[in-house]
Amino acid sequence: AAGVIQSPRHLIKEKRETATLKCYPIPRHDTVYWYQQGPGQDPQFLISFYEKMQSDKGSIPDRFSAQQFSDYHSELNMSSLELGDSALYFCASSPREFGTQYFGPGTRLLVL
Amino acid sequence: DQQVKQNSPSLSVQEGRISILNCDYTNSMFDYFLWYKKYPAEGPTFLISISSIKDKNEDGRFTVFLNKSAKHLSLHIVPSQPGDSAVYFCAASYHGGSQGNLIFGKGTKLSVKP
């Protein structure tokens, strides 16, 4: 069965650079969630979209922005990267708002 | 302040025995609870969930128990298999009985020994 696709799987950036993470949800899923998992930490909710509209917002820094496109894929844009942004970034999709969330494999971001 | 707590960072169990993973929460507004399993280099995989209107949900070898008065839930795996070795995350949400954004515990690493 098709799963959530995230790209890239690994990314190395330097401080103050920008990064764009992409998420392709499971077909016919209209809701996307972004989570950040720091080393040894639990995943922390960043932001979610339902039907291309932002539906909820968590602990997402102002330096980050995200959107969901007409084909339901989502992009997380991160600017002025800091060392503390180094983490695993997970995207999850669900077949409806408030449905069970299915996670992608994650993007590991390293900021040097 | 950790709203979902998994106080055991690790658990070791013999193959064929029962594995019991515990989770406590502090927010009484939570109305939906989930367990995810995570292997290294993979994203969390949904295992089983329970709504706050129930106290038990069973799916094959996996059973989740919810004690609302104690704000405690547990995941039972019977019988445990070596392939169950992974990190297990407890997660909670509140959206009137459905699932919104998830609040995770820090995870418990389960090792099932042959």
Side-chain angles (χ1 to χ4, degrees):
Chain A
V4 176
I5 297 171
Q6 290 188 246
S7 68
R9 292 293 309 275
H10 302 271
L11 189 59
I12 299 176
K13 290 285 185 179
E14 298 201 352
K15 282 195 306 183
R16 293 180 288 277
E17 285 192 321
T18 61
T20 297
L21 309 185
K22 297 185 179 183
C23 170
Y24 297 87
I26 294 170
R28 290 180 294 283
H29 283 200
D30 54 15
T31 306
V32 167
Y33 302 81
W34 286 96
Y35 293 84
Q36 177 193 57
Q37 185 180 21
Q41 300 298 313
D42 49 294
Q44 295 284 324
F45 170 71
L46 292 177
I47 195 167
S48 62
F49 294 88
Y50 167 64
E51 280 293 341
K52 294 155 275 186
M53 300 286 289
Q54 181 182 308
S55 60
D56 201 358
K57 196 170 181 180
S59 52
I60 184 169
D62 292 340
R63 299 177 289 108
F64 294 6
S65 65
Q67 57 181 323
Q68 185 179 32
F69 294 85
S70 58
D71 63 351
Y72 297 104
H73 94 273
S74 178
E75 295 184 4
L76 178 66
N77 298 296
M78 310 159 72
S79 63
S80 302
L81 287 169
E82 301 174 357
L83 297 179
D85 296 328
S86 296
L88 257 177
Y89 289 84
F90 290 109
C91 168
S93 74
S94 68
R96 62 185 185 282
E97 194 176 24
F98 308 135
T100 296
Q101 296 178 32
Y102 298 89
F103 283 76
T107 294
R108 185 172 292 279
L109 172 66
L110 179 61
V111 181
L112 301 176
Chain B
D1 182 33
Q2 195 75 19
Q3 297 185 71
V4 177
K5 299 177 185 176
Q6 294 177 256
N7 292 319
S8 298
S10 63
L11 175 68
S12 184
V13 171
Q14 204 67 32
E15 181 179 7
R17 302 283 188 139
I18 184 171
S19 295
I20 300 177
L21 297 101
N22 293 303
C23 178
D24 298 292
Y25 61 95
T26 58
N27 191 336
S28 57
M29 296 292 290
F30 288 145
D31 54 18
Y32 210 91
F33 304 89
L34 308 91
W35 284 94
Y36 282 84
K37 178 171 72 172
K38 186 180 182 304
Y39 293 118
E42 294 184 14
T45 302
F46 171 72
L47 264 182
I48 192 168
S49 62
I50 188 167
S51 153
S52 60
I53 61 173
K54 295 185 175 182
D55 54 18
K56 177 182 174 181
N57 188 26
E58 191 173 353
D59 184 2
R61 297 186 297 116
F62 302 92
T63 302
V64 56
F65 295 93
L66 175 62
N67 183 335
K68 279 185 295 183
S69 60
K71 294 192 180 68
H72 176 83
L73 65 156
S74 60
L75 174 68
H76 293 210
I77 306 174
V78 185
S80 301
Q81 300 173 354
D84 296 329
S85 297
V87 176
Y88 288 78
F89 287 98
C90 172
S93 71
Y94 52 94
H95 267 283
S98 300
Q99 303 160 56
N101 68 79
L102 300 175
I103 293 105
F104 284 87
K106 291 195 178 297
T108 295
K109 185 175 183 179
L110 173 66
S111 299
V112 180
K113 301 188 184 308

